[in-house]
Amino acid sequence: MPPGSTPASSSSSEVILAWRALFSISTHHPLLGGKANSGPLALKTPAPPPSPPPSSPWPPFRAERAREPRQSFVSVKEAEGDVPQSFVDTRVVALRQLHRDRATADPTDDSAIMSTTITLPRPPPQCCCPCGRARGWKNVRLRGRLLSPSVSDLRLLAVKADLGPSSTAVVRAAAAAAAAAAAAAAAAEAADAVAHEAPIAPTVPGHVKTIPHRPRSALERLPTEILDQIVSDLVTDVPPNGCAHRNVDLIACRLTSSTLSAVALRTLHRHITIPHSLIFSKFLAQLGHRPGLGALVRRLDFSHFSSVGLGRTRRMNAEIQWVTAATLTRCLQATPRLREFLAQEHLEDDLDEGVLAMLFCHLPSLRALDLCASSSPAFTAAYATVVSPANGRLPASLALTRLSLHECATLPAATFECLIPRLGRLTHLDVSHTQITHAALAALPATARLTHLNLGRCSRLSGPAVVAFVTTHPAAKASLVYLNLLADIARFRLLDRADVSALLTGLPRTLRALNLSGARVGPPHLALLAPLVRHLEELSLGYTELSSDDIRSLYQPPPPSEPGAEHVSSTPTPAWTPPSLRYLDLTGIAAITPSTFFAQLGDLLAARTRPLEVLELGPAVIAGLHQRTAQRKRHGWTVRELGRRGWFVRQPCPDPCPAGAVSAADRDPGRRDWKMGALWWGMKKVPVAWSEVGGLYGHYMFKK
């Protein structure tokens, strides 16, 4: 132990060294089931990007990181970087369309580097696929021998197929390196055993020879709760694309020791992500062989589920019988401790009465339920049958705390009046674009504590009823953090001027995100908005009646009082506090045009308006900003687009930064507890589970 160090510091350093050595060995050697540069502490050596042969139609793939970003087949995923509102939009497009887009793009414009990327399927890997007469992987010959059907054998076979004539020497070198590493580890363990164990007595006839117990490493001696936290960081919420390996780091843990294998097994089955039907069939078969694993499952995530890219239609999926109502019911029966079930519109026809009855009536541990955009006639009929007063199996009180029926537009209003009064523990409610009524909303039990509420585009609600619920109901008046009251002005406006005044005076200080797009917000409401922007981080004022001067006034201190004026109150005026806004939505405001944007709102782009970093603007304004490259660069802002939405985003200053500016290293990463894993600003769908944004949920959060 170095002088001046304590036993605690020595123990922590041993744990760090053991963790680093463990993953540097288990994740870098192919013979141990690892993958190069895949561990969290693995040494990342730069490697040149692979270049395809001249005759290949596939473009070269640029490896910017040692680990490729993992995407699902249909995914809108947040991309971590220095510039906010960066996304990866993975979709299947034709190669001809890609060449057409590249031909029309201007290579000299820096705005051509868009936030939306077009991802093509990678070339098919050189792997072995069994033909009709194949008798299984066990009969694959490798080095002239019949080997067991293990992953390492197939990986060695793939290495030999890829390396060409010199593959034998490379395989032998890899095997020798692995053997040397294993011998060094064995020698270290033997030396440690000699230091800790008593000498073995000489063998005596009639006595059983005892084998000394191998001492556990410092990492294995950690408490189970700490090991669970460490290993859980290796989980990938967004599934990989194509034929890439899934959870390779967790598999490496399972091949390391019995202690880490048990922890990794629990972590692997805690959150199950189903990107397509084949994965679901394998998971269900595993539960059939080992029923005890079902008790470990806490989340079933179908937000990435799609058959796109598999060459199958919906009719073919029904004939395959992998993901059906019957198999979903069997899966829910095999996972009695399920806490989160995340589904979406690609699964709507398979959510029949049996599946919904399991979710609402037979899973007492269920806490989060998301049925995003499910609106087919079959789903609607099944939902109305299960969520009905005539259903005697429906409990009088449900344990659900987070419920999302986002875009479930066909659900009858009677189902909300039956379900909402049973949710006494509710904290998250997303009923955007549904037929929820005033009576259902008012029937929410007073024991609920809403932190997230999305009532956007609910045409059956009225402004006074919504304002009364938000400002007076015990479940919402003092706990709201996220409130979305978006209205589609092409159909109706939810809040008029009187409703806006009553709402702004009754909002709690806990609020961090407020969406008033489509409300009749005008200049008289600026005085009511001033105290709110001191603690709000997101504010949406799209399609309101404000002018450019009104928007600039939010960042201007009030004028000083005239000298000699008599004050009615003796209370001193509090000092002016600048807004804490990081995101401001100005979509659809008539006073904001592309030609006058920099002249009218140039003050919002200055450094003094920080922490403001995102302005959401309409399509016409975004198109105009694309053509003003010099002005964008001069102000240090750039354009980001995704689907129907566009943002004007502040760029971090390059090093060295001038005084008052923020560098990329000091920029706020944007993560907040109330976002539940989301990174960027302006989400329009409430998340009900803590995870990375991806799949169809990312589409409804940031693209639509």
mmCIF file of all heavy atoms in Angstrom, residues 256-302:
data_model
loop_
_atom_site.group_PDB
_atom_site.id
_atom_site.type_symbol
_atom_site.label_atom_id
_atom_site.label_comp_id
_atom_site.label_asym_id
_atom_site.label_seq_id
_atom_site.Cartn_x
_atom_site.Cartn_y
_atom_site.Cartn_z
ATOM 1 N N THR A 256 -17.468 -15.120 -17.757
ATOM 2 C CA THR A 256 -16.309 -14.762 -16.945
ATOM 3 C C THR A 256 -16.238 -15.560 -15.649
ATOM 4 O O THR A 256 -15.241 -16.212 -15.367
ATOM 5 C CB THR A 256 -16.338 -13.255 -16.637
ATOM 6 O OG1 THR A 256 -16.378 -12.533 -17.876
ATOM 7 C CG2 THR A 256 -15.106 -12.846 -15.869
ATOM 8 N N SER A 257 -17.283 -15.516 -14.848
ATOM 9 C CA SER A 257 -17.295 -16.238 -13.572
ATOM 10 C C SER A 257 -18.737 -16.507 -13.187
ATOM 11 O O SER A 257 -19.663 -15.922 -13.741
ATOM 12 C CB SER A 257 -16.585 -15.430 -12.480
ATOM 13 O OG SER A 257 -17.335 -14.282 -12.151
ATOM 14 N N SER A 258 -18.916 -17.374 -12.219
ATOM 15 C CA SER A 258 -20.270 -17.727 -11.791
ATOM 16 C C SER A 258 -20.968 -16.549 -11.124
ATOM 17 O O SER A 258 -22.177 -16.352 -11.283
ATOM 18 C CB SER A 258 -20.221 -18.922 -10.836
ATOM 19 O OG SER A 258 -19.415 -18.618 -9.700
ATOM 20 N N THR A 259 -20.208 -15.733 -10.388
ATOM 21 C CA THR A 259 -20.814 -14.581 -9.727
ATOM 22 C C THR A 259 -21.320 -13.564 -10.741
ATOM 23 O O THR A 259 -22.474 -13.126 -10.688
ATOM 24 C CB THR A 259 -19.794 -13.917 -8.787
ATOM 25 O OG1 THR A 259 -19.338 -14.875 -7.836
ATOM 26 C CG2 THR A 259 -20.417 -12.743 -8.066
ATOM 27 N N LEU A 260 -20.473 -13.197 -11.682
ATOM 28 C CA LEU A 260 -20.893 -12.243 -12.702
ATOM 29 C C LEU A 260 -21.923 -12.847 -13.641
ATOM 30 O O LEU A 260 -22.760 -12.131 -14.196
ATOM 31 C CB LEU A 260 -19.681 -11.760 -13.497
ATOM 32 C CG LEU A 260 -18.722 -10.842 -12.751
ATOM 33 C CD1 LEU A 260 -17.547 -10.460 -13.639
ATOM 34 C CD2 LEU A 260 -19.425 -9.596 -12.266
ATOM 35 N N SER A 261 -21.869 -14.148 -13.821
ATOM 36 C CA SER A 261 -22.862 -14.798 -14.682
ATOM 37 C C SER A 261 -24.259 -14.675 -14.089
ATOM 38 O O SER A 261 -25.228 -14.413 -14.813
ATOM 39 C CB SER A 261 -22.500 -16.274 -14.880
ATOM 40 O OG SER A 261 -23.474 -16.929 -15.658
ATOM 41 N N ALA A 262 -24.389 -14.850 -12.783
ATOM 42 C CA ALA A 262 -25.700 -14.723 -12.149
ATOM 43 C C ALA A 262 -26.220 -13.294 -12.240
ATOM 44 O O ALA A 262 -27.403 -13.069 -12.504
ATOM 45 C CB ALA A 262 -25.611 -15.172 -10.691
ATOM 46 N N VAL A 263 -25.325 -12.312 -12.020
ATOM 47 C CA VAL A 263 -25.750 -10.919 -12.108
ATOM 48 C C VAL A 263 -26.138 -10.568 -13.544
ATOM 49 O O VAL A 263 -27.150 -9.898 -13.791
ATOM 50 C CB VAL A 263 -24.634 -9.991 -11.596
ATOM 51 C CG1 VAL A 263 -25.023 -8.534 -11.765
ATOM 52 C CG2 VAL A 263 -24.338 -10.286 -10.135
ATOM 53 N N ALA A 264 -25.340 -11.018 -14.516
ATOM 54 C CA ALA A 264 -25.647 -10.724 -15.916
ATOM 55 C C ALA A 264 -26.931 -11.406 -16.357
ATOM 56 O O ALA A 264 -27.672 -10.862 -17.189
ATOM 57 C CB ALA A 264 -24.488 -11.161 -16.805
ATOM 58 N N LEU A 265 -27.219 -12.580 -15.819
ATOM 59 C CA LEU A 265 -28.459 -13.270 -16.178
ATOM 60 C C LEU A 265 -29.676 -12.468 -15.724
ATOM 61 O O LEU A 265 -30.658 -12.330 -16.468
ATOM 62 C CB LEU A 265 -28.478 -14.664 -15.545
ATOM 63 C CG LEU A 265 -29.675 -15.550 -15.889
ATOM 64 C CD1 LEU A 265 -29.660 -15.905 -17.366
ATOM 65 C CD2 LEU A 265 -29.686 -16.807 -15.027
ATOM 66 N N ARG A 266 -29.620 -11.937 -14.513
ATOM 67 C CA ARG A 266 -30.725 -11.099 -14.043
ATOM 68 C C ARG A 266 -30.856 -9.833 -14.884
ATOM 69 O O ARG A 266 -31.965 -9.408 -15.215
ATOM 70 C CB ARG A 266 -30.521 -10.737 -12.573
ATOM 71 C CG ARG A 266 -30.643 -11.894 -11.608
ATOM 72 C CD ARG A 266 -30.789 -11.400 -10.178
ATOM 73 N NE ARG A 266 -29.646 -10.619 -9.755
ATOM 74 C CZ ARG A 266 -28.577 -11.127 -9.156
ATOM 75 N NH1 ARG A 266 -28.510 -12.438 -8.932
ATOM 76 N NH2 ARG A 266 -27.574 -10.362 -8.779
ATOM 77 N N THR A 267 -29.720 -9.242 -15.235
ATOM 78 C CA THR A 267 -29.767 -8.011 -16.024
ATOM 79 C C THR A 267 -30.290 -8.266 -17.425
ATOM 80 O O THR A 267 -31.046 -7.460 -17.977
ATOM 81 C CB THR A 267 -28.366 -7.386 -16.078
ATOM 82 O OG1 THR A 267 -27.879 -7.207 -14.745
ATOM 83 C CG2 THR A 267 -28.403 -6.046 -16.786
ATOM 84 N N LEU A 268 -29.900 -9.379 -18.035
ATOM 85 C CA LEU A 268 -30.350 -9.702 -19.387
ATOM 86 C C LEU A 268 -31.858 -9.855 -19.459
ATOM 87 O O LEU A 268 -32.482 -9.486 -20.458
ATOM 88 C CB LEU A 268 -29.674 -10.986 -19.870
ATOM 89 C CG LEU A 268 -28.298 -10.860 -20.513
ATOM 90 C CD1 LEU A 268 -27.685 -12.230 -20.704
ATOM 91 C CD2 LEU A 268 -28.395 -10.138 -21.838
ATOM 92 N N HIS A 269 -32.464 -10.393 -18.419
ATOM 93 C CA HIS A 269 -33.892 -10.682 -18.449
ATOM 94 C C HIS A 269 -34.727 -9.630 -17.736
ATOM 95 O O HIS A 269 -35.953 -9.771 -17.693
ATOM 96 C CB HIS A 269 -34.153 -12.062 -17.820
ATOM 97 C CG HIS A 269 -33.651 -13.200 -18.652
ATOM 98 N ND1 HIS A 269 -32.340 -13.616 -18.610
ATOM 99 C CD2 HIS A 269 -34.275 -13.999 -19.566
ATOM 100 C CE1 HIS A 269 -32.178 -14.627 -19.433
ATOM 101 N NE2 HIS A 269 -33.319 -14.879 -20.027
ATOM 102 N N ARG A 270 -34.090 -8.600 -17.194
ATOM 103 C CA ARG A 270 -34.879 -7.575 -16.512
ATOM 104 C C ARG A 270 -35.663 -6.737 -17.523
ATOM 105 O O ARG A 270 -36.846 -6.492 -17.340
ATOM 106 C CB ARG A 270 -33.959 -6.681 -15.682
ATOM 107 C CG ARG A 270 -34.719 -5.630 -14.878
ATOM 108 C CD ARG A 270 -33.777 -4.792 -14.038
ATOM 109 N NE ARG A 270 -33.111 -5.598 -13.034
ATOM 110 C CZ ARG A 270 -31.789 -5.713 -12.911
ATOM 111 N NH1 ARG A 270 -30.992 -5.071 -13.752
ATOM 112 N NH2 ARG A 270 -31.248 -6.454 -11.967
ATOM 113 N N HIS A 271 -35.013 -6.301 -18.588
ATOM 114 C CA HIS A 271 -35.661 -5.498 -19.620
ATOM 115 C C HIS A 271 -35.524 -6.228 -20.948
ATOM 116 O O HIS A 271 -34.414 -6.349 -21.482
ATOM 117 C CB HIS A 271 -35.032 -4.109 -19.708
ATOM 118 C CG HIS A 271 -35.208 -3.286 -18.485
ATOM 119 N ND1 HIS A 271 -34.449 -2.157 -18.209
ATOM 120 C CD2 HIS A 271 -36.067 -3.408 -17.446
ATOM 121 C CE1 HIS A 271 -34.831 -1.640 -17.051
ATOM 122 N NE2 HIS A 271 -35.811 -2.382 -16.574
ATOM 123 N N ILE A 272 -36.630 -6.702 -21.470
ATOM 124 C CA ILE A 272 -36.635 -7.453 -22.730
ATOM 125 C C ILE A 272 -37.131 -6.521 -23.835
ATOM 126 O O ILE A 272 -38.252 -6.013 -23.771
ATOM 127 C CB ILE A 272 -37.529 -8.700 -22.627
ATOM 128 C CG1 ILE A 272 -37.043 -9.608 -21.488
ATOM 129 C CG2 ILE A 272 -37.547 -9.450 -23.945
ATOM 130 C CD1 ILE A 272 -35.663 -10.171 -21.681
ATOM 131 N N THR A 273 -36.284 -6.310 -24.850
ATOM 132 C CA THR A 273 -36.640 -5.488 -26.010
ATOM 133 C C THR A 273 -36.870 -6.400 -27.200
ATOM 134 O O THR A 273 -36.003 -7.218 -27.536
ATOM 135 C CB THR A 273 -35.524 -4.477 -26.319
ATOM 136 O OG1 THR A 273 -35.309 -3.656 -25.164
ATOM 137 C CG2 THR A 273 -35.914 -3.598 -27.495
ATOM 138 N N ILE A 274 -38.022 -6.262 -27.837
ATOM 139 C CA ILE A 274 -38.417 -7.128 -28.956
ATOM 140 C C ILE A 274 -38.443 -6.280 -30.227
ATOM 141 O O ILE A 274 -39.407 -5.560 -30.480
ATOM 142 C CB ILE A 274 -39.797 -7.769 -28.705
ATOM 143 C CG1 ILE A 274 -39.844 -8.445 -27.338
ATOM 144 C CG2 ILE A 274 -40.128 -8.749 -29.811
ATOM 145 C CD1 ILE A 274 -38.917 -9.623 -27.192
ATOM 146 N N PRO A 275 -37.396 -6.327 -31.069
ATOM 147 C CA PRO A 275 -37.429 -5.557 -32.316
ATOM 148 C C PRO A 275 -38.192 -6.231 -33.439
ATOM 149 O O PRO A 275 -38.701 -5.562 -34.330
ATOM 150 C CB PRO A 275 -35.948 -5.395 -32.660
ATOM 151 C CG PRO A 275 -35.291 -6.583 -32.047
ATOM 152 C CD PRO A 275 -36.081 -6.928 -30.820
ATOM 153 N N HIS A 276 -38.260 -7.571 -33.448
ATOM 154 C CA HIS A 276 -39.012 -8.267 -34.488
ATOM 155 C C HIS A 276 -39.448 -9.625 -33.952
ATOM 156 O O HIS A 276 -39.081 -10.048 -32.850
ATOM 157 C CB HIS A 276 -38.196 -8.401 -35.778
ATOM 158 C CG HIS A 276 -36.813 -8.960 -35.575
ATOM 159 N ND1 HIS A 276 -36.558 -10.295 -35.423
ATOM 160 C CD2 HIS A 276 -35.620 -8.328 -35.494
ATOM 161 C CE1 HIS A 276 -35.259 -10.481 -35.261
ATOM 162 N NE2 HIS A 276 -34.670 -9.305 -35.290
ATOM 163 N N SER A 277 -40.247 -10.320 -34.745
ATOM 164 C CA SER A 277 -40.940 -11.509 -34.254
ATOM 165 C C SER A 277 -39.993 -12.669 -33.967
ATOM 166 O O SER A 277 -40.283 -13.501 -33.100
ATOM 167 C CB SER A 277 -42.002 -11.943 -35.270
ATOM 168 O OG SER A 277 -41.421 -12.148 -36.543
ATOM 169 N N LEU A 278 -38.876 -12.758 -34.669
ATOM 170 C CA LEU A 278 -37.958 -13.872 -34.433
ATOM 171 C C LEU A 278 -37.376 -13.809 -33.030
ATOM 172 O O LEU A 278 -37.243 -14.836 -32.350
ATOM 173 C CB LEU A 278 -36.844 -13.851 -35.487
ATOM 174 C CG LEU A 278 -35.779 -14.945 -35.364
ATOM 175 C CD1 LEU A 278 -36.412 -16.317 -35.468
ATOM 176 C CD2 LEU A 278 -34.705 -14.765 -36.416
ATOM 177 N N ILE A 279 -37.018 -12.610 -32.574
ATOM 178 C CA ILE A 279 -36.492 -12.459 -31.212
ATOM 179 C C ILE A 279 -37.554 -12.870 -30.193
ATOM 180 O O ILE A 279 -37.253 -13.515 -29.179
ATOM 181 C CB ILE A 279 -36.042 -11.010 -30.981
ATOM 182 C CG1 ILE A 279 -34.901 -10.645 -31.929
ATOM 183 C CG2 ILE A 279 -35.613 -10.799 -29.541
ATOM 184 C CD1 ILE A 279 -33.646 -11.450 -31.716
ATOM 185 N N PHE A 280 -38.798 -12.503 -30.454
ATOM 186 C CA PHE A 280 -39.866 -12.863 -29.516
ATOM 187 C C PHE A 280 -40.060 -14.369 -29.454
ATOM 188 O O PHE A 280 -40.269 -14.932 -28.368
ATOM 189 C CB PHE A 280 -41.167 -12.184 -29.932
ATOM 190 C CG PHE A 280 -42.331 -12.496 -29.034
ATOM 191 C CD1 PHE A 280 -42.431 -11.939 -27.778
ATOM 192 C CD2 PHE A 280 -43.318 -13.375 -29.448
ATOM 193 C CE1 PHE A 280 -43.487 -12.233 -26.942
ATOM 194 C CE2 PHE A 280 -44.385 -13.678 -28.621
ATOM 195 C CZ PHE A 280 -44.474 -13.104 -27.363
ATOM 196 N N SER A 281 -39.995 -15.050 -30.590
ATOM 197 C CA SER A 281 -40.169 -16.504 -30.581
ATOM 198 C C SER A 281 -39.039 -17.186 -29.820
ATOM 199 O O SER A 281 -39.270 -18.160 -29.089
ATOM 200 C CB SER A 281 -40.240 -17.030 -32.014
ATOM 201 O OG SER A 281 -38.992 -16.909 -32.665
ATOM 202 N N LYS A 282 -37.809 -16.684 -29.953
ATOM 203 C CA LYS A 282 -36.694 -17.262 -29.201
ATOM 204 C C LYS A 282 -36.874 -17.027 -27.700
ATOM 205 O O LYS A 282 -36.608 -17.921 -26.886
ATOM 206 C CB LYS A 282 -35.376 -16.648 -29.682
ATOM 207 C CG LYS A 282 -34.984 -17.045 -31.091
ATOM 208 C CD LYS A 282 -33.650 -16.412 -31.474
ATOM 209 C CE LYS A 282 -33.218 -16.835 -32.874
ATOM 210 N NZ LYS A 282 -31.921 -16.231 -33.245
ATOM 211 N N PHE A 283 -37.312 -15.823 -27.347
ATOM 212 C CA PHE A 283 -37.518 -15.526 -25.934
ATOM 213 C C PHE A 283 -38.617 -16.395 -25.342
ATOM 214 O O PHE A 283 -38.472 -16.927 -24.231
ATOM 215 C CB PHE A 283 -37.865 -14.046 -25.789
ATOM 216 C CG PHE A 283 -38.323 -13.658 -24.407
ATOM 217 C CD1 PHE A 283 -37.466 -13.714 -23.330
ATOM 218 C CD2 PHE A 283 -39.630 -13.230 -24.198
ATOM 219 C CE1 PHE A 283 -37.891 -13.363 -22.062
ATOM 220 C CE2 PHE A 283 -40.056 -12.875 -22.933
ATOM 221 C CZ PHE A 283 -39.186 -12.936 -21.865
ATOM 222 N N LEU A 284 -39.703 -16.570 -26.076
ATOM 223 C CA LEU A 284 -40.796 -17.398 -25.571
ATOM 224 C C LEU A 284 -40.373 -18.851 -25.452
ATOM 225 O O LEU A 284 -40.765 -19.554 -24.502
ATOM 226 C CB LEU A 284 -42.007 -17.262 -26.497
ATOM 227 C CG LEU A 284 -43.341 -17.801 -25.968
ATOM 228 C CD1 LEU A 284 -43.724 -17.092 -24.683
ATOM 229 C CD2 LEU A 284 -44.437 -17.628 -27.004
ATOM 230 N N ALA A 285 -39.574 -19.343 -26.397
ATOM 231 C CA ALA A 285 -39.073 -20.718 -26.302
ATOM 232 C C ALA A 285 -38.155 -20.882 -25.094
ATOM 233 O O ALA A 285 -38.174 -21.920 -24.417
ATOM 234 C CB ALA A 285 -38.347 -21.091 -27.589
ATOM 235 N N GLN A 286 -37.357 -19.862 -24.805
ATOM 236 C CA GLN A 286 -36.484 -19.933 -23.630
ATOM 237 C C GLN A 286 -37.298 -19.984 -22.344
ATOM 238 O O GLN A 286 -36.946 -20.725 -21.410
ATOM 239 C CB GLN A 286 -35.539 -18.737 -23.622
ATOM 240 C CG GLN A 286 -34.463 -18.811 -22.545
ATOM 241 C CD GLN A 286 -33.551 -17.612 -22.568
ATOM 242 O OE1 GLN A 286 -33.997 -16.514 -22.886
ATOM 243 N NE2 GLN A 286 -32.293 -17.809 -22.233
ATOM 244 N N LEU A 287 -38.385 -19.212 -22.284
ATOM 245 C CA LEU A 287 -39.248 -19.280 -21.101
ATOM 246 C C LEU A 287 -39.896 -20.655 -20.974
ATOM 247 O O LEU A 287 -40.155 -21.117 -19.855
ATOM 248 C CB LEU A 287 -40.327 -18.200 -21.180
ATOM 249 C CG LEU A 287 -39.874 -16.746 -21.061
ATOM 250 C CD1 LEU A 287 -41.084 -15.818 -21.074
ATOM 251 C CD2 LEU A 287 -39.060 -16.531 -19.794
ATOM 252 N N GLY A 288 -40.166 -21.311 -22.106
ATOM 253 C CA GLY A 288 -40.729 -22.658 -22.039
ATOM 254 C C GLY A 288 -39.754 -23.664 -21.480
ATOM 255 O O GLY A 288 -40.145 -24.573 -20.739
ATOM 256 N N HIS A 289 -38.469 -23.521 -21.820
ATOM 257 C CA HIS A 289 -37.453 -24.452 -21.318
ATOM 258 C C HIS A 289 -37.046 -24.135 -19.885
ATOM 259 O O HIS A 289 -36.749 -25.047 -19.109
ATOM 260 C CB HIS A 289 -36.223 -24.426 -22.225
ATOM 261 C CG HIS A 289 -36.469 -24.983 -23.594
ATOM 262 N ND1 HIS A 289 -36.875 -26.291 -23.813
ATOM 263 C CD2 HIS A 289 -36.370 -24.422 -24.821
ATOM 264 C CE1 HIS A 289 -37.010 -26.508 -25.111
ATOM 265 N NE2 HIS A 289 -36.717 -25.384 -25.744
ATOM 266 N N ARG A 290 -37.009 -22.856 -19.538
ATOM 267 C CA ARG A 290 -36.600 -22.452 -18.192
ATOM 268 C C ARG A 290 -37.647 -21.484 -17.637
ATOM 269 O O ARG A 290 -37.500 -20.257 -17.708
ATOM 270 C CB ARG A 290 -35.223 -21.788 -18.231
ATOM 271 C CG ARG A 290 -34.130 -22.680 -18.809
ATOM 272 C CD ARG A 290 -32.788 -21.977 -18.824
ATOM 273 N NE ARG A 290 -32.328 -21.648 -17.479
ATOM 274 C CZ ARG A 290 -31.203 -20.986 -17.223
ATOM 275 N NH1 ARG A 290 -30.454 -20.581 -18.227
ATOM 276 N NH2 ARG A 290 -30.851 -20.727 -15.981
ATOM 277 N N PRO A 291 -38.741 -21.986 -17.082
ATOM 278 C CA PRO A 291 -39.830 -21.109 -16.617
ATOM 279 C C PRO A 291 -39.412 -20.129 -15.530
ATOM 280 O O PRO A 291 -40.025 -19.072 -15.380
ATOM 281 C CB PRO A 291 -40.884 -22.102 -16.105
ATOM 282 C CG PRO A 291 -40.541 -23.408 -16.758
ATOM 283 C CD PRO A 291 -39.060 -23.414 -16.911
ATOM 284 N N GLY A 292 -38.377 -20.456 -14.769
ATOM 285 C CA GLY A 292 -37.959 -19.562 -13.701
ATOM 286 C C GLY A 292 -37.454 -18.221 -14.186
ATOM 287 O O GLY A 292 -37.459 -17.242 -13.428
ATOM 288 N N LEU A 293 -37.020 -18.140 -15.437
ATOM 289 C CA LEU A 293 -36.537 -16.866 -15.959
ATOM 290 C C LEU A 293 -37.652 -15.838 -16.090
ATOM 291 O O LEU A 293 -37.395 -14.638 -16.111
ATOM 292 C CB LEU A 293 -35.870 -17.082 -17.324
ATOM 293 C CG LEU A 293 -34.594 -17.933 -17.332
ATOM 294 C CD1 LEU A 293 -34.085 -18.099 -18.755
ATOM 295 C CD2 LEU A 293 -33.520 -17.304 -16.454
ATOM 296 N N GLY A 294 -38.895 -16.287 -16.224
ATOM 297 C CA GLY A 294 -40.005 -15.353 -16.354
ATOM 298 C C GLY A 294 -40.183 -14.465 -15.140
ATOM 299 O O GLY A 294 -40.664 -13.329 -15.259
ATOM 300 N N ALA A 295 -39.784 -14.948 -13.962
ATOM 301 C CA ALA A 295 -39.913 -14.137 -12.751
ATOM 302 C C ALA A 295 -38.912 -12.995 -12.710
ATOM 303 O O ALA A 295 -39.059 -12.072 -11.904
ATOM 304 C CB ALA A 295 -39.746 -15.021 -11.512
ATOM 305 N N LEU A 296 -37.880 -13.032 -13.572
ATOM 306 C CA LEU A 296 -36.889 -11.965 -13.607
ATOM 307 C C LEU A 296 -37.301 -10.811 -14.506
ATOM 308 O O LEU A 296 -36.713 -9.735 -14.427
ATOM 309 C CB LEU A 296 -35.541 -12.521 -14.099
ATOM 310 C CG LEU A 296 -34.922 -13.671 -13.305
ATOM 311 C CD1 LEU A 296 -33.639 -14.133 -13.975
ATOM 312 C CD2 LEU A 296 -34.653 -13.254 -11.867
ATOM 313 N N VAL A 297 -38.275 -11.006 -15.367
ATOM 314 C CA VAL A 297 -38.641 -10.007 -16.369
ATOM 315 C C VAL A 297 -39.437 -8.888 -15.706
ATOM 316 O O VAL A 297 -40.442 -9.141 -15.036
ATOM 317 C CB VAL A 297 -39.448 -10.644 -17.517
ATOM 318 C CG1 VAL A 297 -39.838 -9.595 -18.545
ATOM 319 C CG2 VAL A 297 -38.633 -11.749 -18.174
ATOM 320 N N ARG A 298 -38.994 -7.658 -15.925
ATOM 321 C CA ARG A 298 -39.695 -6.491 -15.402
ATOM 322 C C ARG A 298 -40.258 -5.601 -16.510
ATOM 323 O O ARG A 298 -41.178 -4.833 -16.257
ATOM 324 C CB ARG A 298 -38.751 -5.651 -14.537
ATOM 325 C CG ARG A 298 -38.240 -6.378 -13.298
ATOM 326 C CD ARG A 298 -39.369 -6.685 -12.330
ATOM 327 N NE ARG A 298 -38.893 -7.343 -11.134
ATOM 328 C CZ ARG A 298 -38.816 -8.657 -10.962
ATOM 329 N NH1 ARG A 298 -39.218 -9.466 -11.941
ATOM 330 N NH2 ARG A 298 -38.362 -9.173 -9.850
ATOM 331 N N ARG A 299 -39.703 -5.689 -17.719
ATOM 332 C CA ARG A 299 -40.180 -4.847 -18.819
ATOM 333 C C ARG A 299 -40.228 -5.652 -20.111
ATOM 334 O O ARG A 299 -39.281 -6.369 -20.437
ATOM 335 C CB ARG A 299 -39.273 -3.641 -19.017
ATOM 336 C CG ARG A 299 -39.662 -2.745 -20.203
ATOM 337 C CD ARG A 299 -38.609 -1.714 -20.523
ATOM 338 N NE ARG A 299 -38.391 -0.800 -19.418
ATOM 339 C CZ ARG A 299 -37.403 0.086 -19.367
ATOM 340 N NH1 ARG A 299 -36.541 0.154 -20.367
ATOM 341 N NH2 ARG A 299 -37.282 0.883 -18.324
ATOM 342 N N LEU A 300 -41.343 -5.506 -20.834
ATOM 343 C CA LEU A 300 -41.479 -6.018 -22.197
ATOM 344 C C LEU A 300 -41.643 -4.804 -23.109
ATOM 345 O O LEU A 300 -42.649 -4.098 -23.042
ATOM 346 C CB LEU A 300 -42.678 -6.960 -22.326
ATOM 347 C CG LEU A 300 -42.500 -8.383 -21.807
ATOM 348 C CD1 LEU A 300 -43.802 -9.161 -21.935
ATOM 349 C CD2 LEU A 300 -41.390 -9.105 -22.556
ATOM 350 N N ASP A 301 -40.642 -4.567 -23.953
ATOM 351 C CA ASP A 301 -40.589 -3.361 -24.767
ATOM 352 C C ASP A 301 -40.787 -3.730 -26.231
ATOM 353 O O ASP A 301 -39.911 -4.339 -26.848
ATOM 354 C CB ASP A 301 -39.247 -2.668 -24.564
ATOM 355 C CG ASP A 301 -39.179 -1.322 -25.278
ATOM 356 O OD1 ASP A 301 -40.167 -0.962 -25.941
ATOM 357 O OD2 ASP A 301 -38.142 -0.642 -25.152
ATOM 358 N N PHE A 302 -41.945 -3.361 -26.788
ATOM 359 C CA PHE A 302 -42.244 -3.561 -28.203
ATOM 360 C C PHE A 302 -42.209 -2.237 -28.970
ATOM 361 O O PHE A 302 -42.757 -2.168 -30.072
ATOM 362 C CB PHE A 302 -43.629 -4.196 -28.365
ATOM 363 C CG PHE A 302 -43.698 -5.639 -27.946
ATOM 364 C CD1 PHE A 302 -44.027 -5.977 -26.646
ATOM 365 C CD2 PHE A 302 -43.444 -6.663 -28.846
ATOM 366 C CE1 PHE A 302 -44.099 -7.298 -26.241
ATOM 367 C CE2 PHE A 302 -43.510 -7.988 -28.460
ATOM 368 C CZ PHE A 302 -43.842 -8.314 -27.151
#
